[in-house]
């Protein structure tokens, strides 16, 4: 079986503990801090973008010319249909 078609098998707890032994506690702490700051960064980008879009919508509302009142519907002629 090729590597691409192998079934995914997650590590057991013992395997994870063995893997973690190669890192110092400070390296682990630094990695987790990096993960947190990455997610915070993504949230900040989303917030900035939503404010940017909201601000543009507000500007469009204030600078748009006033909408013309709707025209009354043309009345149908009833001549000859009695």
């Amino acid at each position: 079986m090729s590597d691409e078609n192998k079934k995914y098998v997650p590590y057991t707890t013992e395997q994870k503990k063995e893997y973690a032994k190669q890192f110092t506690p400070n390296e682990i702490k630094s990695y987790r801090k990096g993960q947190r700051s990455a997610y915070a960064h993504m949230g900040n980008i989303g917030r900035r973008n939503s404010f940017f879009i909201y601000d543009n919508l507000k500007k469009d509302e204030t600078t748009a010319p006033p909408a013309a009142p709707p025209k009354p519907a043309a009345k149908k002629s009833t001549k000859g249909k009695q």
Side-chain angles (χ1 to χ4, degrees):
M1 205 186 256
S2 69
D3 287 341
E4 296 172 9
N5 296 331
K6 282 185 181 175
K7 186 177 179 220
Y8 172 72
V9 180
Y11 284 148
T12 63
T13 305
E14 290 78 27
Q15 288 173 313
K16 289 179 187 176
K17 286 180 181 174
E18 281 298 315
Y19 179 73
K21 285 180 183 175
Q22 64 183 315
F23 302 106
T24 65
N26 283 341
E27 286 176 323
I28 294 171
K29 198 185 311 179
S30 170
Y31 175 78
R32 292 200 175 126
K33 183 178 179 189
Q35 293 289 79
R36 281 198 302 272
S37 63
Y39 279 102
H41 181 60
M42 292 189 318
N44 290 340
I45 289 173
R47 188 178 303 116
R48 182 188 69 201
N49 289 347
S50 66
F51 281 140
F52 180 73
I53 291 167
Y54 180 75
D55 188 46
N56 278 346
L57 289 173
K58 281 288 181 200
K59 286 178 186 172
D60 286 348
E61 285 176 7
T62 57
T63 59
K71 295 180 181 176
K75 294 183 180 175
K76 292 183 179 176
S77 159
T78 57
K79 287 185 180 175
K81 289 191 174 186
Q82 291 180 359

